[in-house]
Amino acid sequence: MRRTTIALVAAAALPLGLAACSSDDDSTDAGDSGNSASEAPQEEPTADQDADADADGGMDTAAEPFGPACSGVPADGAGSFDGMAQDPVATAASNNPALSTLVAAVTAAGLGDTLNTAEALTVFAPVDDAFAAVPEEDLTALLADEAALTDVLTYHVVGERLSPEQLTDGEFETLQGGTLTTAGEGESFEVNGEAAVVCGNVRTANATVYLIDSVLMP
């Protein structure tokens, strides 16, 4: 009778022991699987992916501002290159002493908020001497005509950031709806074959600015 009882107890314990072994094996396998996943090497970004980031977001900031008029930009403060890079484009332009007439025109046309809130722009910004070359009567009339002024100003703006390399032989649609062309190389560029870039690749928080020596007409 004693032997029968021992045999029954052993038989009952056997499935429990097998289940425990099975559970231990499963846990070990799951742990190994988790370790394999966590130890898998992370993929490095490819050169193509880095290039795409630069093209899409205009994130390549390696190139410095260039051109003869860059020497007139303040060395520090809000109007310096570092200071302008912190502000959206209309605000940044207001801190640059060479762009006071352009800023007055932007204000007269009510375009400040439009330019400041855009995600990515290129602005071909006529310096004060460029506006001074426009006959005074014509400039006064332009500043008094909001619709015409808006057309002229938005013709100077492209809805994406453009690098100097893209200006070598470029054709771009402006916010006004017209097209402007660029040509040149190195640190010498022209817009529409008439306006020279006098200080290029100036970065603001949402735009790349090229200061030019002539006012462009649509």
Side-chain angles (χ1 to χ4, degrees):
M1 182 68 172
R2 178 178 176 82
R3 289 179 181 176
T4 303
T5 302
I6 292 173
L8 289 174
V9 170
L14 182 60
L16 296 177
L18 291 175
C21 291
S22 176
S23 176
D24 288 344
D25 290 344
D26 289 346
S27 298
T28 301
D29 290 343
D32 290 344
S33 176
N35 289 339
S36 297
S38 63
E39 292 171 4
Q42 299 296 317
E43 290 188 8
E44 294 294 329
T46 65
D48 288 342
Q49 289 171 329
D50 287 340
D52 288 343
D54 289 343
D56 293 342
M59 298 302 291
D60 182 7
T61 58
E64 296 291 329
F66 61 85
C70 290
S71 61
V73 174
D76 51 37
S80 67
F81 291 131
D82 288 341
M84 292 179 70
Q86 306 305 312
D87 292 319
V89 64
T91 302
S94 70
N95 294 320
N96 188 308
L99 299 175
S100 59
T101 307
L102 175 62
V103 171
V106 167
T107 301
L111 292 174
D113 288 343
T114 299
L115 296 176
N116 274 347
T117 57
E119 288 189 6
L121 301 172
T122 294
V123 179
F124 295 95
V127 296
D128 288 349
D129 287 345
F131 282 101
V134 178
E136 184 177 356
E137 183 178 343
D138 293 343
L139 182 58
T140 301
L142 179 63
L143 292 173
D145 186 338
E146 185 175 332
L149 183 59
T150 298
D151 271 354
V152 170
L153 293 175
T154 53
Y155 183 66
H156 290 74
V157 184
V158 174
E160 61 178 309
R161 285 188 186 262
L162 300 176
S163 68
E165 291 75 18
Q166 289 175 279
L167 305 187
T168 298
D169 182 19
E171 181 174 313
F172 308 101
E173 183 177 353
T174 69
L175 297 191
Q176 183 265 348
T179 300
L180 56 76
T181 60
T182 59
E185 60 182 352
E187 297 185 356
S188 179
F189 295 95
E190 286 190 343
V191 184
N192 285 357
E194 58 181 282
V197 173
V198 295
C199 183
N201 202 42
V202 178
R203 311 284 297 190
T204 76
N206 69 329
T208 302
V209 181
Y210 294 88
L211 280 64
I212 56 176
D213 65 359
S214 296
V215 177
L216 305 173
M217 292 298 175

